[in-house]
Amino acid sequence: MNKKLFLGGLVLSFLAISCSDNQDDFDEQEYTQERFNINNSAANLKNEVSLDGAGVLSISSITALKKGKQQVEEEPQVANIALEQIATVASPVINGTTLRASHVDIDGDYAYVTYMVEGNDYLGGIDIINISDRTNPVVESRVTSEIADFTSAFFQNGKLYFSSAVNNDELLTLDSRANLGMVSIDNGKFSEDFEFKSIPGYVAVDIAGFENTIIGVSGDVGVLGLYDLVSLEMQNEIELPDLRSVAYSNGKIAVLTGGNALGIYDASSLAELNTINTPNLTGASKRTIAFKNQNILVSEGENGVGIYNTNSGSEILHLPIQIAPNAEYDEKDIVTNAVSIADDFILMANGGAGFGISRLDENNTLIEEGIVDLEGSSNYVQSDGEYIFVASGLGGLRIIKMSTANRAETEFTSCESYEVYNGKSNVNINPNEEEAYQGIATLKHLNVGGKFTFCGTLNIQKSTNINSEGEINIRGAMAVGTFGKNDDLSINSNAVLRVEGNLTVYGNLNLQSGATLEFVGEDSSLKVYGKIKQNSGSQITGNYIDISN
């Protein structure tokens, strides 16, 4: 008589329940609010964000991985994208049980993260994360509940709407366990006005919205419904079995079922426009879908990602799950649980196989594929093009900064003559050598004894060393190392690092005697996560913002 909802390779099953009669001898609003615990304490919530794993992430190309370890070190990484993990948010813990992130909705300066547990218990939560400072995300507010799972969220007009499974043996005012809900958000914090609207089914599995309408879907015996944005009163519902996910775009609603069908519906009337055949999904596992213009991407479990044309219904591309050679995986954990889109890149949460990235051209032709060097499994992924949120089982939620060619932090006309970097992952510039490039690149190591100039975004996963008399010139952004792993930026005697833009060092910044770190222009910045070790005779010059004080 309980639900089971498994995310990211976890299973969803819903069993029948009995409903209790509503009681009317109490204050309904107060009764509801008492079952949702709001934490707005900055001091307490500060501890939920950690720097574990923070730093530059490598993106090894599948081509290089298949050639072996040496080629991974030598061949270029996936081009036109650079990633930095900036923080990990710990999942809420209720009565000793760690919750799992189930969904992320990003709106402006805030990300709204829902949590739940699989199995028979009803435990859930929602975080509001302030992401206005790209280098310092902050959990502003958190709500937890011992009677509800939160499966998805959608923010609009000052309210957060959510889909949930609620134990209505505990919250007697509800007609069923599948519920949509809403709560007011005031300056990044929850208000005490949680409201619920029961819909047919045992779990409301997903939610979306457009204009003045909320779209909700429930699983198993489920429905696809349209609901009023203000009151959540039902406007239209149709019965559809075994629903898993919903998405909206340009007047169309797409819903994924557990069978072999993806349905496309008119957003006004819920008239069926098209049915697209897709692979069967494993025993009620949750998957996600995402529109890309007139196409739609479907996470298809062990089949990877399918890309379909919503008009013709034809499959235009299939992206299998990429697996690093010689890696050990449990076969049942190699499933694409979620898919998201960021510019020209397809992001795939591939369970035990990790976090995969594919790049497409304007004709949806596959250009290259890669695997992000991210520890742990990947059970959910969402992106707004600037951030990527990856849920890693019980390991929390990874917040990743993303730089792409479409969102370059800087443009310098004086750099147009430089070649776009497409070289090795390990770069060594010998004395008397001079090289200059532009673009977005991720390296493993950088060792400079001559002169090296780079315009754009340059990330170095491991150490960076500027030898005596060496010189590096950066126009744009440079990030070095991984927090806590001794991946340092070292500027040796009579060497110079000249930066016009942003410099981030996740390890230590070491300046030997006679070394110079020079900032150019008026808007440069420096952030060092480790220590600054500055010997006598070294100098840091120019105007810059010292982000880490």
Side-chain angles (χ1 to χ4, degrees):
M1 304 205 261
N2 289 314
K3 60 91 208 175
K4 290 186 181 176
L5 181 53
F6 283 71
L7 293 176
L10 316 165
V11 180
L12 268 127
S13 71
F14 314 107
L15 303 176
I17 54 113
S18 62
C19 296
S20 302
D21 292 333
N22 289 348
Q23 299 178 0
D24 55 9
D25 56 348
F26 55 84
D27 185 314
E28 179 177 327
Q29 185 71 13
E30 180 180 353
Y31 174 75
T32 300
Q33 306 316 312
E34 288 175 349
R35 281 147 179 79
F36 298 91
N37 303 308
I38 297 174
N39 183 355
N40 290 328
S41 169
N44 290 341
L45 294 174
K46 180 180 181 181
N47 298 326
E48 302 302 325
V49 181
S50 76
L51 295 175
D52 293 344
V56 174
L57 299 175
S58 68
I59 315 168
S60 300
S61 73
I62 294 301
T63 301
L65 286 169
K66 289 180 178 179
K67 292 181 179 179
K69 181 178 180 180
Q70 182 176 352
Q71 292 302 109
V72 171
E73 297 291 328
E74 294 300 320
E75 289 203 0
Q77 299 196 30
V78 173
N80 292 329
I81 185 172
L83 303 177
E84 297 169 51
Q85 181 175 318
I86 59 176
T88 297
V89 177
S91 298
V93 178
I94 301 176
N95 300 329
T97 299
T98 301
L99 309 186
R100 295 178 184 264
S102 52
H103 183 84
V104 180
D105 185 57
I106 305 166
D107 187 274
D109 289 338
Y110 294 96
Y112 303 89
V113 185
T114 59
Y115 298 91
M116 54 160 292
V117 293
E118 67 278 8
N120 295 330
D121 294 329
Y122 290 82
L123 299 172
I126 307 175
D127 280 343
I128 302 177
I129 303 175
N130 188 328
I131 54 175
S132 59
D133 181 348
R134 290 178 58 139
T135 67
N136 186 35
V138 176
V139 180
E140 294 272 5
S141 188
R142 169 174 284 180
V143 64
T144 55
S145 176
E146 297 183 32
I147 67 164
D149 293 284
F150 298 97
T151 58
S152 186
F154 171 75
F155 180 85
Q156 185 163 307
N157 296 339
K159 285 187 177 290
L160 186 68
Y161 300 85
F162 52 84
S163 54
S164 62
V166 183
N167 185 351
N168 63 344
D169 291 337
E170 294 290 337
L171 195 56
L172 303 176
T173 56
L174 301 181
D175 296 328
S176 69
R177 303 205 170 188
N179 281 269
L180 303 179
M182 61 183 177
V183 60
S184 299
I185 306 299
D186 183 12
N187 196 28
K189 293 179 171 54
F190 290 104
S191 301
E192 295 184 353
D193 62 348
F194 280 84
E195 297 181 47
F196 288 84
K197 174 65 176 178
S198 293
I199 64 175
Y202 305 122
V203 175
V205 297
D206 205 359
I207 194 169
F210 66 97
E211 298 175 355
N212 296 315
T213 301
I214 292 297
I215 310 167
V217 294
S218 58
D220 198 17
V221 297
V223 296
L224 163 63
L226 304 179
Y227 307 90
D228 181 75
L229 187 75
V230 176
S231 65
L232 290 181
E233 289 301 315
M234 188 268 288
Q235 298 173 336
N236 195 3
E237 282 181 345
I238 57 175
E239 293 186 3
L240 292 172
D242 198 13
L243 297 182
R244 310 298 176 84
S245 185
V246 65
Y248 169 84
S249 179
N250 295 325
K252 294 180 180 180
I253 296 173
V255 289
L256 181 64
T257 73
N260 59 346
L262 174 73
I264 308 297
Y265 295 84
D266 178 80
S268 299
S269 63
L270 294 188
E272 185 174 348
L273 302 176
N274 202 355
T275 299
I276 300 171
N277 292 327
T278 60
N280 286 321
L281 298 180
T282 305
S285 53
K286 182 177 178 179
R287 302 289 181 247
T288 70
I289 54 181
F291 277 98
K292 187 177 188 291
N293 300 322
Q294 292 300 312
N295 300 320
I296 191 163
L297 287 73
V298 182
S299 58
E300 298 178 339
E302 62 187 15
N303 294 296
V305 168
I307 303 179
Y308 302 88
N309 183 282
T310 58
N311 295 319
S312 67
S314 60
E315 183 180 58
I316 62 174
L317 187 64
H318 173 244
L319 302 175
I321 299 173
Q322 297 297 339
I323 301 174
N326 303 318
E328 296 183 1
Y329 300 110
D330 188 333
E331 288 292 331
K332 71 178 186 299
D333 292 334
I334 303 177
V335 289
T336 301
N337 300 307
V339 62
S340 186
I341 301 167
D343 294 334
D344 299 328
F345 294 89
I346 308 301
L347 314 177
M348 301 166 60
N350 291 330
F355 175 24
I357 286 185
S358 298
R359 185 159 69 101
L360 308 181
D361 66 12
E362 63 275 7
N363 298 315
N364 291 312
T365 301
L366 182 63
I367 299 175
E368 59 183 332
E369 300 170 286
I371 297 176
V372 180
D373 183 17
L374 192 67
E375 293 183 0
S377 62
S378 297
N379 301 320
Y380 179 82
V381 63
Q382 183 62 275
S383 176
D384 67 347
E386 293 186 77
Y387 288 91
I388 302 172
F389 293 80
V390 180
S392 183
L394 300 179
L397 186 75
R398 316 291 181 88
I399 303 178
I400 298 169
K401 174 185 171 183
M402 177 180 179
S403 299
T404 67
N406 292 344
R407 299 172 184 267
E409 293 193 14
T410 183
E411 293 182 6
F412 299 105
T413 56
S414 61
C415 300
E416 290 180 350
S417 61
Y418 299 157
E419 292 183 10
V420 174
Y421 187 80
N422 193 32
K424 298 178 179 180
S425 292
N426 290 325
V427 174
N428 184 61
I429 309 297
N430 293 315
N432 300 319
E433 290 182 346
E434 182 174 337
E435 297 186 15
Y437 301 96
Q438 62 168 310
I440 295 177
T442 301
L443 308 178
K444 286 285 188 180
H445 298 272
L446 176 61
N447 185 60
V448 176
K451 182 178 180 180
F452 181 73
T453 299
F454 196 95
C455 290
T457 298
L458 179 65
N459 284 5
I460 304 97
Q461 186 184 26
K462 303 295 184 180
S463 60
T464 295
N465 188 56
I466 311 176
N467 295 322
S468 179
E469 307 295 337
E471 177 182 337
I472 293 180
N473 299 291
I474 299 294
R475 303 190 74 185
M478 179 180 184
V480 179
T482 303
F483 180 74
K485 291 194 175 181
N486 298 318
D487 296 325
D488 295 346
L489 168 58
S490 297
I491 309 173
N492 289 293
S493 176
N494 298 320
V496 176
L497 171 58
R498 189 173 292 110
V499 178
E500 183 179 357
N502 306 314
L503 175 62
T504 303
V505 183
Y506 289 95
N508 298 321
L509 172 59
N510 304 318
L511 292 94
Q512 304 299 328
S513 296
T516 298
L517 171 57
E518 177 186 351
F519 289 94
V520 180
E522 301 297 326
D523 299 319
S524 295
S525 67
L526 171 65
K527 185 174 181 66
V528 180
Y529 286 80
K531 297 179 180 180
I532 296 180
K533 301 179 179 180
Q534 189 173 1
N535 287 350
S536 62
S538 62
Q539 58 181 342
I540 301 177
T541 65
N543 296 320
Y544 64 96
I545 301 170
D546 185 1
I547 297 175
S548 51
N549 296 313

